[in-house]
């Protein structure tokens, strides 16, 4: 007997106003239900259009547990399919990316498909004459993911046919993506490199929550960022400039007041970001020539507006985080209830000086790599939480920091930067998207 | 006189310092402008405008070493240990007059912490220079055979 399967009430009961039950992180059944409901009901990041620059280019990804494939068709359009042959189910593309030429060819019996997914040819086709093949789903070729939106080159898909529209789902939160793209003098980003991949032995939501947890850096990262600052103070000698590396590490050690004042903004459907007034990205030294390029492209006022927006982490519910000021997107890919693959992508600002790309790549390996000391601090905490939550002493996770008792859900608000409200916002969205296509099952069972 | 044997011995010694956790002595092997590099791409050429797992100068290596012993370094409670199994280094260049010494060493590296044990295979490429009568590492480049795999924490040095 399952405890939660299709029981919207039981699932909703895991999320209280300012507390969450540990089962959302440790119960394998909840994880399976997330794969079945939460991810298909949400708009999930698939990849970036610059990874599909030529016709025939493809990338593969997973939405929840389901393998998908995105390709650039000969007419320039981008399509997303289920990565499965309509014949016997073989995965069409097995590599993370590549170019398939004019068509996809299944490696098992050589059925082939155009880059828009339609069936191109079957060997010995006459064996299907008079079999009714024309009426089968297989005749349509690769199954399409129907709900796909490419927003400023970011490809998002929703697997379920019904649900919240892209515009309603993201709303104003898209301003973080806008700002990241606008930071290119040409208004364009490009993926030039493979992502850094990091395996986390913890539940994927621990990472998502951590993105707006501003009460941990000065504690957990004292070991890495704190040591970096300490060693630099000792060794700087008569250096006149703080090295880029120390500029990147240093702000993690900012005091609570800094994070309180920098603020958090929440949006409906679980999105939100830290760093409203300022952020750990506020004080990097200028890159020569860049401001001039921006002013030339956007005019004085707009250029300053774009560069003055230094949001820290933006969570796009359910499972990506965007860092506009250093052009990084982290994808928290759920593998199992206690296993999460983190892919950290760096985008190049097209037309901007190399130095900015250098800084983005540096940030990515300092913070997001398996070899990152800051990463070690965080993962250690997630692993300890995954262990600690097995304790029966207390089955609830406390998210009550700066909770005022009548918080409205699905609103936009700017709040104290050390609030746990964005985490509450995420869990409200979690319960909503987990159960939104479940009600009918519940009624049927009652 | 620096010979091929001197270079090989130097490389074995370096691994021994890591395996015995003599971190300060290990740092002392580096040239002031030395770097430690772990590429993230096949036969990568550029450590700065291509992504790497690590590309650290002496300052950053000192940070790592100091962190390992830190009172609040929770990811080192319990501590990690490591083991290098080296193949005989292949000396690629040994020109004492020009001061150019290069070697490539195939290895298997093991890192362990608590009940966890992870094994990695790769090649270390050393660029070494002579400073007075000592040798210093200008560049240690570590290419993993599966550089593109999603690893868990790698906390020590390969
Ligand atoms: S399974 Fe793809 S052609 Fe047969
Ligand atoms: Fe952190």
């Amino acid at each position: 007997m399952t405890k939660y399967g299709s029981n919207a009430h039981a699932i909703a009961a895991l999320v209280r106003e300012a507390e969450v039950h540990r089962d959302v992180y440790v119960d394998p059944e909840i994880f399976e239900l997330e794969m079945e409901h939460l991810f298909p009901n949400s708009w999930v990041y698939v990849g970036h259009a610059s990874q599909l620059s030529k016709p025939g280019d493809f990338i593969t990804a997973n939405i929840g547990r389901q393998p998908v494939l995105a390709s650039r068709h000969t007419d320039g359009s981008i399509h997303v399919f289920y990565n499965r042959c309509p014949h016997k189910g073989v995965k069409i593309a097995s590599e993370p990316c590549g170019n398939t030429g004019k068509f996809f060819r299944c490696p098992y019996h050589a059925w082939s498909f155009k880059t828009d997914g339609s069936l191109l040819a079957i060997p010995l086709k006459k064996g299907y004459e008079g079999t009714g093949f024309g009426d089968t789903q297989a005749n349509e070729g690769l199954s399409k993911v129907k709900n796909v939106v490419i927003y400023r080159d970011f490809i998002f898909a929703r697997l379920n046919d019904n649900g919240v529209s892209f515009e309603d789902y993201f709303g104003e939160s898209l301003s973080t993506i806008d700002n990241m793209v606008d930071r290119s003098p040409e208004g364009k980003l490009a993926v030039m490199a493979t992502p850094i991949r990091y395996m986390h032995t913890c539940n994927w939501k621990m990472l998502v929550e951590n993105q707006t947890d501003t009460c941990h850096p000065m504690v957990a990262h004292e070991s890495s960022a704190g040591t970096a600052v300490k060693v630099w103070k000792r060794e700087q000698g008569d250096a006149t400039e703080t090295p880029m590396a120390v500029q990147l590490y240093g702000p993690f050690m900012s005091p609570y007041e800094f994070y309180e004042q920098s603020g958090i903004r929440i949006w409906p459907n679980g999105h939100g970001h830290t760093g409203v007034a300022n952020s750990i990205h506020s004080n990097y030294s200028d890159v020569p020539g860049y401001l001039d390029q921006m002013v030339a492209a956007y005019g004085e006022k707009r250029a300053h507006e774009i560069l003055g927006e230094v949001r820290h982490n933006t969570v796009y519910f359910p499972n990506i985080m965007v860092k506009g000021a250093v052009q990084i997107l982290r994808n928290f890919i759920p593998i199992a209830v206690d296993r999460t693959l983190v892919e950290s992508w760096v985008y190049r600002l097209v037309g901007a000086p190399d130095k900015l790309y250098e800084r983005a790549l540096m940030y990515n390996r300092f913070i997001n790599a398996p070899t990152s000391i800051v990463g070690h601090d965080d993962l250690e905490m997630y692993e300890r939480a995954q262990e600690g939550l097995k304790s029966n002493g207390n089955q609830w996770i406390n998210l009550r920091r700066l909770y005022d008792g009548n918080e409205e859900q699905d609103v936009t608000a700017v709040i104290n930067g050390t609030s746990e409200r964005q985490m509450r916002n995420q869990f409200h969205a979690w319960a909503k998207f987990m159960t939104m296509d479940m009600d009918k099952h519940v009624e049927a069972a009652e | 006189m620096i010979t091929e044997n001197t270079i090989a011995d130097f490389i074995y010694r370096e691994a021994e310092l890591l395996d015995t956790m003599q971190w300060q002595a290990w740092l002392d092997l580096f040239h002031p402008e030395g770097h430690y590099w772990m590429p993230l791409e096949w036969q990568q050429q550029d450590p700065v405008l291509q992504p790497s797992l690590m590309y650290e100068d002496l300052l950053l290596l000192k940070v790592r070493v100091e962190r390992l012993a830190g009172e609040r370094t929770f990811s080192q409670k319990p501590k990690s240990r490591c083991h290098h199994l080296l193949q005989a280094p292949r000396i690629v260049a040994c020109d004492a007059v020009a001061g150019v010494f290069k070697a490539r060493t195939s290895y298997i590296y093991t890192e362990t912490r608590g009940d966890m044990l992870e094994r990695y295979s790769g090649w270390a490429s050393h660029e070494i220079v002579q400073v007075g009568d000592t040798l210093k590492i200008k560049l240690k480049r570590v290419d993993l055979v599966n550089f593109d795999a999603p690893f868990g924490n790698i906390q020590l040095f390969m």
Side-chain angles (χ1 to χ4, degrees):
Chain A
M1 214 17 216
T2 61
K3 196 162 159 197
Y4 293 111
S6 299
N7 185 345
H9 300 304
I11 290 166
L14 294 171
V15 178
R16 294 177 180 166
E17 282 286 283
E19 280 179 314
V20 182
H21 193 269
R22 57 110 178 256
D23 280 5
V24 305
Y25 305 93
V26 301
D27 187 316
E29 191 194 352
I30 288 291
F31 181 82
E32 290 310 321
L33 291 166
E34 288 177 337
M35 298 303 107
E36 197 182 324
H37 298 279
L38 178 75
F39 281 87
N41 283 336
S42 305
W43 285 90
V44 175
Y45 179 66
V46 174
H48 192 261
S50 68
Q51 297 170 269
L52 305 168
S53 51
K54 299 181 301 296
D57 282 352
F58 68 85
I59 51 173
T60 56
N62 280 298
I63 299 180
R65 274 222 199 289
Q66 306 198 32
V68 299
L69 164 63
S71 69
R72 175 81 73 176
H73 188 43
T74 23
D75 67 0
S77 56
I78 286 174
H79 301 263
V80 182
F81 317 108
Y82 292 86
N83 189 359
R84 154 208 208 278
C85 179
H87 182 207
K88 293 181 82 175
V90 167
K91 250 179 154 178
I92 294 297
S94 57
E95 288 168 295
C97 60
N99 185 287
T100 192
K102 291 219 170 347
F103 56 89
F104 291 105
R105 181 179 184 272
C106 178
Y108 199 1
H109 314 93
W111 287 25
S112 61
F113 312 90
K114 290 188 201 158
T115 44
D116 67 356
S118 55
L119 185 62
L120 178 66
I122 295 178
L124 299 172
K125 183 81 195 267
K126 49 179 194 319
Y128 288 95
E129 274 165 25
T131 65
F133 180 78
D135 300 327
T136 64
Q137 207 180 335
N139 187 41
E140 292 158 24
L142 302 175
S143 299
K144 257 196 178 106
V145 176
K146 292 189 205 105
N147 295 291
V148 175
V149 169
I150 301 167
Y151 183 80
R152 303 203 71 176
D153 282 350
F154 288 76
I155 307 168
F156 287 92
R158 192 191 69 214
L159 291 184
N160 276 359
D161 288 347
N162 302 313
V164 182
S165 74
F166 180 83
E167 291 72 21
D168 289 342
Y169 185 80
F170 285 119
E172 288 174 69
S173 76
L174 292 168
S175 50
T176 292
I177 289 181
D178 288 335
N179 180 257
M180 180 159 70
V181 181
D182 290 344
R183 285 171 169 265
S184 150
E186 297 177 25
K188 220 172 157 41
L189 300 179
V191 171
M192 317 284 291
T194 52
I196 287 181
R197 301 167 83 217
Y198 194 173
M199 190 59 83
H200 278 48
T201 45
C202 67
N203 187 268
W204 64 277
K205 294 186 293 300
M206 289 180 185
L207 287 120
V208 182
E209 265 176 73
N210 184 252
Q211 304 313 307
T212 60
D213 182 325
T214 54
C215 289
H216 88 281
M218 64 299 283
V219 182
H221 299 307
E222 184 185 332
S223 114
S224 52
T227 306
V229 171
K230 198 167 91 197
V231 172
W232 169 243
K233 275 199 182 128
R234 193 179 65 220
E235 309 255 331
Q236 68 189 119
D238 44 17
T240 50
E241 211 187 312
T242 312
M244 191 188 271
V246 180
Q247 289 186 29
L248 298 182
Y249 277 133
F252 277 85
M253 289 313 289
S254 305
Y256 290 115
E257 300 76 53
F258 170 86
Y259 288 101
E260 282 186 313
Q261 285 153 20
S262 72
I264 292 178
R265 181 182 282 119
I266 57 158
W267 287 296
N269 297 319
H271 319 301
H273 78 92
T274 47
V276 182
N278 59 0
S279 80
I280 68 163
H281 304 303
S282 295
N283 289 317
Y284 300 153
S285 51
D286 288 338
V287 170
Y290 176 52
L291 180 62
D292 296 340
Q293 285 184 328
M294 290 293 283
V295 169
Y298 295 99
E300 192 81 38
K301 183 166 167 279
R302 179 81 190 116
H304 284 285
E305 231 170 67
I306 294 167
L307 299 177
E309 191 68 69
V310 285
R311 299 178 185 190
H312 178 188
N313 293 334
T314 300
V315 170
Y316 286 113
F317 185 84
N319 68 327
I320 60 167
M321 180 277 275
V322 171
K323 227 177 216 315
V326 282
Q327 298 85 54
I328 287 172
L329 180 150
R330 282 205 288 169
N331 198 351
F332 307 120
I333 301 167
I335 307 288
V337 68
D338 55 0
R339 216 169 149 76
T340 305
L341 169 62
V342 186
E343 283 188 353
S344 299
W345 295 87
V346 174
Y347 307 103
R348 186 164 187 147
L349 296 171
V350 176
D354 282 350
K355 204 73 189 167
L356 286 157
Y357 190 48
E358 180 184 338
R359 183 165 74 196
L361 289 170
M362 189 188 263
Y363 191 96
N364 209 27
R365 67 173 185 270
F366 279 7
I367 314 299
N368 300 333
T371 39
S372 148
I373 49 177
V374 172
H376 297 165
D377 296 336
D378 286 320
L379 179 49
E380 177 68 17
M381 294 308 130
Y382 308 146
E383 285 176 344
R384 290 186 188 202
Q386 198 73 34
E387 277 295 300
L389 288 173
K390 291 176 186 159
S391 151
N392 288 335
N394 172 358
Q395 306 206 354
W396 293 87
I397 285 111
N398 194 295
L399 298 176
R400 201 163 285 264
R401 201 180 149 68
L402 293 170
Y403 172 67
D404 79 356
N406 337 287
E407 275 173 8
E408 274 182 87
Q409 302 297 353
D410 285 337
V411 292
T412 300
V414 174
I415 48 180
N416 179 305
T418 60
S419 171
E420 286 170 339
R421 181 154 178 197
Q422 169 54 19
M423 300 171 205
R424 299 191 286 272
N425 187 37
Q426 275 159 217
F427 275 105
H428 166 75
W430 182 86
K432 172 167 140 186
F433 288 96
M434 273 292 266
T435 57
M436 84 180 352
D437 61 346
M438 244 177 227
D439 292 344
K440 52 184 178 293
H441 305 289
V442 176
E443 277 152 29
E446 274 165 0
Chain B
M1 181 63 188
I2 310 284
T3 64
E4 298 205 348
N5 277 339
T6 326
I7 300 298
D9 283 347
F10 179 84
I11 288 166
Y12 292 133
R13 173 76 183 143
E14 192 231 354
E16 187 188 338
L17 290 175
L18 290 172
D19 289 355
T20 51
M21 300 198 266
Q22 299 185 62
W23 309 119
Q24 189 52 52
W26 179 71
L27 286 177
D28 291 342
L29 296 181
F30 278 80
H31 185 273
E33 262 114 62
H35 279 84
Y36 180 104
W37 181 21
M38 288 177 80
L40 190 64
E41 292 186 347
W42 176 240
Q43 300 189 333
Q44 188 171 333
Q45 294 306 310
D46 185 346
V48 172
L49 293 178
Q50 281 179 278
S52 298
L53 285 163
M54 258 174 91
Y55 183 60
E56 309 226 323
D57 60 12
L58 200 48
L59 178 80
L60 294 172
L61 292 177
K62 282 181 187 167
V63 171
R64 279 182 190 268
V65 162
E66 191 152 326
R67 176 182 177 273
L68 288 175
E71 182 57 34
R72 299 210 173 117
T73 304
F74 304 107
S75 79
Q76 282 298 297
K77 293 171 192 285
K79 287 200 175 306
S80 302
R81 295 190 299 274
C82 69
H83 174 261
H84 289 73
L85 181 63
L86 303 186
Q87 198 177 50
R90 188 167 69 80
I91 310 300
V92 183
C94 183
D95 183 341
V97 179
V100 177
F101 309 99
K102 287 186 183 168
R104 192 164 188 272
T105 311
S106 185
Y107 68 87
I108 293 174
Y109 170 84
T110 307
E111 195 171 295
T112 180
R113 180 179 170 238
D115 296 339
M116 173 288 282
L117 183 138
E118 300 287 349
R119 203 158 273 148
Y120 307 84
S121 301
W123 301 270
S125 304
H126 286 79
E127 284 179 38
I128 298 166
V129 292
Q130 195 173 351
V131 177
D133 51 10
T134 58
L135 294 175
K136 296 285 177 192
I137 299 171
K138 206 60 195 285
L139 178 68
K140 180 175 179 181
R141 170 180 172 143
V142 170
D143 285 274
L144 288 174
V145 65
N146 59 342
F147 53 86
D148 50 358
F151 304 111
N153 282 350
I154 299 173
Q155 301 206 56
L156 303 181
F157 305 94
M158 296 205 187

